[in-house]
Amino acid sequence: MKKKEITKRYILFIISLFVSGLGVAITKRGELGVSPISSTANVLSMKWTALSLGTWLLVWNTSLVLGQIIILRRKFQLIQLLQIPLSVLFGWFTDLGMSMTGFMVSDIYAIRLMCVLLGTAVLALGVALAVIANVIMNSGEAFVKAVADAMNKQFGDIKIFFDVGCVIFALIMSLILFNFKIIGAREGTIIAAFCTGIAVKFYLKTMKKPLDRILEK
């Protein structure tokens, strides 16, 4: 792969982080829950508000990197430590997205639901762009791959369990931190869990070939 193509792919990956962060922020504005992988950070950000959602996402993503190191041990590749600075960037983009979407706050349920659907679509676009860039995995996907490799299981199967586990963990944290109330993980989380993958497939089907041609020039 030529240096020019590698540069283009990393630029696209950074763009994907911004789009994904914006998607999380838009979904958050609906206050009906966020994507499964962000749900724990969302719950923690609602309990300890001194730290932003982006900061809690950084904490969560860093813990997933540590999890990879524990699981893979000597097989962990040092280049994967790039996930940490990229997680910093993602957290910053999420907070930037929050500042950009303040006007979307509403008490009307239909508008809040629209925020979840729009945010999910934007998040899926970011995920698709990251897949097309094909330079480094985000911490969530990399953690799933580490578990799948260690257990000799299919990535897709472990991904389902991981997403469900994230939601369950977020619900448990909510019940513990908010006196047995479910805060930060609601129907929006379920919507995001079901719709993100479908949207990602659609984006990849329509965008991958033309973007690959641009990247390879």
Side-chain angles (χ1 to χ4, degrees):
M1 193 181 297
K2 297 178 180 179
K3 288 184 178 180
K4 185 178 180 181
E5 182 181 345
I6 293 174
T7 301
K8 286 181 180 179
R9 290 187 178 277
Y10 271 99
I11 290 173
L12 181 61
F13 185 75
I14 292 172
I15 292 173
S16 78
L17 291 178
F18 169 74
V19 175
S20 296
L22 180 60
V24 171
I26 294 173
T27 308
K28 168 69 176 176
R29 289 303 182 189
E31 291 297 344
L32 297 175
V34 294
S35 62
I37 194 171
S38 302
S39 55
T40 297
N42 189 40
V43 171
L44 294 173
S45 72
M46 296 178 77
K47 175 63 177 179
W48 290 291
T49 57
L51 297 181
S52 67
L53 174 58
T55 302
W56 280 115
L57 283 170
L58 170 60
V59 173
W60 172 248
N61 287 326
T62 301
S63 70
L64 292 178
V65 176
L66 292 175
Q68 294 169 50
I69 294 173
I70 293 171
I71 293 169
L72 296 175
R73 298 183 183 180
R74 293 181 180 179
K75 292 182 180 179
F76 180 82
Q77 298 176 334
L78 290 179
I79 193 173
Q80 294 302 325
L81 290 174
L82 283 175
Q83 293 174 41
I84 295 176
L86 291 174
S87 293
V88 173
L89 198 57
F90 176 66
W92 186 80
F93 281 146
T94 301
D95 287 341
L96 177 61
M98 291 296 292
S99 67
M100 292 170 60
T101 57
F103 68 94
M104 301 179 76
V105 175
S106 176
D107 292 327
I108 302 173
Y109 185 82
I111 294 177
R112 294 166 67 187
L113 188 59
M114 286 177 63
C115 285
V116 172
L117 293 172
L118 176 60
T120 299
V122 174
L123 174 61
L125 175 59
V127 173
L129 292 175
V131 171
I132 294 169
N134 193 29
V135 286
I136 191 169
M137 301 179 78
N138 63 52
S139 57
E141 306 301 317
F143 180 83
V144 171
K145 187 177 185 302
V147 175
D149 289 347
M151 298 180 65
N152 196 26
K153 299 291 185 180
Q154 292 292 323
F155 178 90
D157 294 335
I158 300 299
K159 173 64 174 171
I160 293 172
F161 281 107
F162 176 70
D163 285 348
V164 172
C166 285
V167 174
I168 292 174
F169 185 64
L171 290 173
I172 292 173
M173 292 298 294
S174 176
L175 292 173
I176 293 173
L177 297 175
F178 294 98
N179 297 318
F180 295 99
K181 293 180 181 179
I182 297 178
I183 304 292
R186 293 177 48 183
E187 59 268 38
T189 303
I190 305 301
I191 292 171
F194 278 100
C195 295
T196 301
I198 296 173
V200 169
K201 288 182 181 179
F202 170 77
Y203 288 132
L204 289 176
K205 186 176 180 180
T206 57
M207 297 172 57
K208 190 175 189 309
K209 288 183 178 179
L211 280 178
D212 276 341
R213 285 196 293 268
I214 294 173
L215 293 170
E216 291 168 3
K217 283 184 178 180

